[in-house]
Amino acid sequence: MAISDNREPLVLHCDNVWIDPPGQFKPKSVELAGSTIGTVRDRISASIAETQRPEIDLGGAYLMPGLINTHVHLEFSASPDPLREFKSESVSERLLRAVRNARSMLLSGVTTARDCGSSLDLLAHIRRCRNPPNLPRLLFSGPPITVPGGHLSIFGGTVSNPEDISEVVSRSIAAGARSLKLIGSGGGMTPESFPEKVAFSQDVFCRVADAARANDVASAAHVLAAESVRRAAVARFDSLEHCAFFRRVSSGRLERRYDPEIACIVAESGVSIMANLSTATRSHETLVQEGIEGNLESRHALHQHEVMLENFGKLVDLGIPIVCGTDAGVRDTPFEDTGVELELMARSGMSNIAVIRSASLNAARVLKLQGRVGRIAEGHSADFVVLKNSPLADISSYRDPLYVYSQGHRITFSSSNGKE
């Protein structure tokens, strides 16, 4: 991957520029002023003589805002056992991986991402780099607030009592975190952590959400247990992560049991949901290829994925705002699969325009970046993904972008990516 050598004023002409609102393609000429968008006006014929600045005519391609992924873990490997690798590696090894993972996202069209749980070492490293253009714009939650031995306690955000919360929050904000995350239930990736159990009282949920509002940063709650979903909605976190409605059944397996009463509480609260439908789907594909006849665990995993898609459709029908996130970095969930997430949203009942907004307008709002990213409009960051076909007609168009622009820089794909 390479980037353009400079960000001199540039005009992009395109027959199909995504203008939202109202959510339509229009022929426009988009003037870049360094890292931001200058004017956006009705399309004019490419003419250096008229504009006195370099121009690119994209013709009939589709110019979209850069994708926003609200939930990734840059220090994880996306291998079958990312937690084991994290524990065995040095800080420098993890930081190098984080940079590679971020670049992989950028090549796929993601120009803004939130790391939803990381070490303070990663925040310090990125701050020293000052967010270079060969990486997406990155926001960090830092170490998530969790119980001793709880999910993602490896990052150092453990609290033993409510009074510890302010110390963890202050440390993360001082390190540059622009989001706070609460681990509101157990997590499947952490041993001796139970996804079906709530981790904190309602008071703690409210304290963390209030702390985020007081510091004017985004807030996210990891909620797998049904009751944890309810408590996070009552506390009005900006986004609820996963919303699995997990319960442990007599066989010992976890099952998703949609709770219509709690779902209505979520809808009434006005909070958003990040469902990460694409997590571990690479391993699901392998299970199908290998055959699942007689393998009860494999059949259960595939069935629960279908239940997740069905439950997601019910949440969409309630009008709950959806934001795009993939949980990239966890087991079998690579960083280039944001397009897969968008396709699964559409498969589960979202309209294509709603899917597009989940990774643009909605995501920008949840991350408190509205007015800066998520639109092709004057004053916004010059972040674009150029597609061959219309995602309004075919959401899978995001799988193979023609070009990506990050903060005014055009990303040049290497030949190994099959692009020039």
Side-chain angles (χ1 to χ4, degrees):
M1 177 177 64
I3 60 174
S4 55
D5 294 333
N6 53 58
R7 289 185 298 194
E8 61 184 351
L10 172 71
V11 179
L12 299 175
H13 304 287
C14 186
D15 295 339
N16 304 291
V17 177
W18 183 247
I19 304 298
D20 198 15
Q24 295 177 353
F25 287 109
K26 297 182 178 181
K28 294 288 183 179
S29 293
V30 181
E31 178 185 317
L32 277 59
S35 63
T36 61
I37 298 172
T39 61
V40 179
R41 52 179 170 160
D42 290 342
R43 194 195 199 293
I44 57 176
S45 299
S47 170
I48 294 178
E50 180 181 351
T51 63
Q52 295 300 310
R53 58 186 63 195
E55 305 178 41
I56 295 176
D57 195 335
L58 297 171
Y62 293 82
L63 187 65
M64 306 296 298
L67 293 171
I68 304 173
N69 189 323
T70 67
H71 191 128
V72 304
H73 296 281
L74 291 170
E75 289 173 286
F76 287 157
S77 65
S79 73
D81 194 356
L83 193 60
R84 178 187 60 79
E85 293 177 353
F86 179 92
K87 291 179 178 179
S88 67
E89 292 173 340
S90 67
V91 171
S92 60
E93 287 175 314
R94 297 200 303 266
L95 295 181
L96 286 172
R97 169 184 287 121
V99 171
R100 291 195 302 269
N101 289 337
R103 287 175 177 168
S104 179
M105 278 196 297
L106 184 59
L107 288 172
S108 73
V110 174
T111 55
T112 298
R114 170 171 62 181
D115 189 300
C116 224
S118 66
S119 66
L120 290 176
D121 295 314
L122 181 58
L123 270 74
H125 175 71
I126 296 297
R127 288 184 78 182
R128 288 195 297 270
C129 294
R130 297 186 179 180
N131 208 33
N134 61 341
L135 301 181
R137 175 179 291 95
L138 298 172
L139 284 78
F140 293 90
S141 299
I145 296 167
T146 188
V147 297
H151 185 50
L152 298 188
S153 57
I154 54 172
F155 290 127
T158 297
V159 297
S160 298
N161 56 67
E163 287 65 40
D164 294 338
I165 294 173
S166 59
E167 179 182 346
V168 174
V169 169
S170 296
R171 187 169 68 238
S172 293
I173 296 294
R178 297 301 302 162
S179 177
L180 297 179
K181 182 179 182 181
L182 176 71
I183 304 297
S185 70
M189 196 173 74
T190 303
E192 304 304 317
S193 177
F194 301 99
E196 76 279 13
K197 293 186 177 181
V198 183
F200 291 105
S201 67
Q202 183 67 68
D203 174 66
V204 170
F205 276 81
C206 291
R207 283 191 186 211
V208 175
D210 288 344
R213 284 187 281 271
N215 286 279
D216 193 28
V217 298
S219 61
H222 164 100
V223 285
L224 294 175
E227 175 60 17
S228 67
V229 175
R230 188 193 69 78
R231 293 182 187 181
V234 170
R236 292 186 300 110
F237 277 79
D238 293 318
S239 62
L240 311 188
E241 315 299 293
H242 317 303
C243 292
F245 299 106
F246 272 142
R247 284 172 170 77
R248 186 80 62 177
V249 298
S250 57
S251 66
R253 295 191 182 98
L254 285 172
E255 288 189 357
R256 299 171 185 269
R257 298 281 183 85
Y258 180 76
D259 190 314
E261 181 178 342
I262 292 178
C264 286
I265 292 173
V266 175
E268 291 168 1
S269 72
V271 302
S272 297
I273 284 177
M274 188 292 304
N276 61 294
L277 305 178
S278 60
T279 299
T281 50
R282 294 291 184 99
S283 60
H284 293 169
E285 293 169 1
T286 301
L287 291 177
V288 172
Q289 292 169 0
E290 294 177 347
I292 61 173
E293 291 300 326
N295 188 327
L296 294 179
E297 293 303 320
S298 297
R299 288 162 57 187
H300 177 73
L302 293 175
H303 174 67
Q304 284 300 301
H305 186 257
E306 292 303 315
V307 172
M308 176 178 64
L309 299 182
E310 180 182 338
N311 290 348
F312 178 75
K314 294 175 182 177
L315 297 172
V316 170
D317 288 343
L318 289 175
I320 296 171
I322 305 296
V323 296
C324 173
T326 61
D327 216 0
V330 303
R331 182 175 63 87
D332 296 322
T333 308
F335 287 82
E336 63 268 24
D337 275 6
T338 303
V340 177
E341 182 74 21
L342 303 182
E343 291 171 37
L344 287 171
M345 288 183 187
R347 172 184 160 187
S348 302
M350 285 181 72
S351 66
N352 283 10
I353 189 171
V355 172
I356 292 168
R357 286 170 174 164
S358 78
S360 55
L361 294 179
N362 289 1
R365 175 181 50 77
V366 160
L367 297 183
K368 298 191 181 300
L369 291 176
Q370 62 267 50
R372 295 177 57 191
V373 300
R375 294 180 61 204
I376 299 177
E378 184 174 346
H380 285 63
S381 184
D383 301 333
F384 313 108
V385 56
V386 183
L387 306 177
K388 181 179 179 180
N389 299 310
S390 167
L392 201 58
D394 181 4
I395 204 68
S396 69
S397 301
Y398 279 108
R399 284 229 190 184
D400 190 28
L402 296 173
Y403 311 108
V404 177
Y405 285 81
S406 175
Q407 302 173 61
H409 287 278
R410 176 170 161 175
I411 305 303
T412 303
F413 297 89
S414 67
S415 58
S416 62
N417 294 103
K419 297 171 183 166
E420 298 179 346

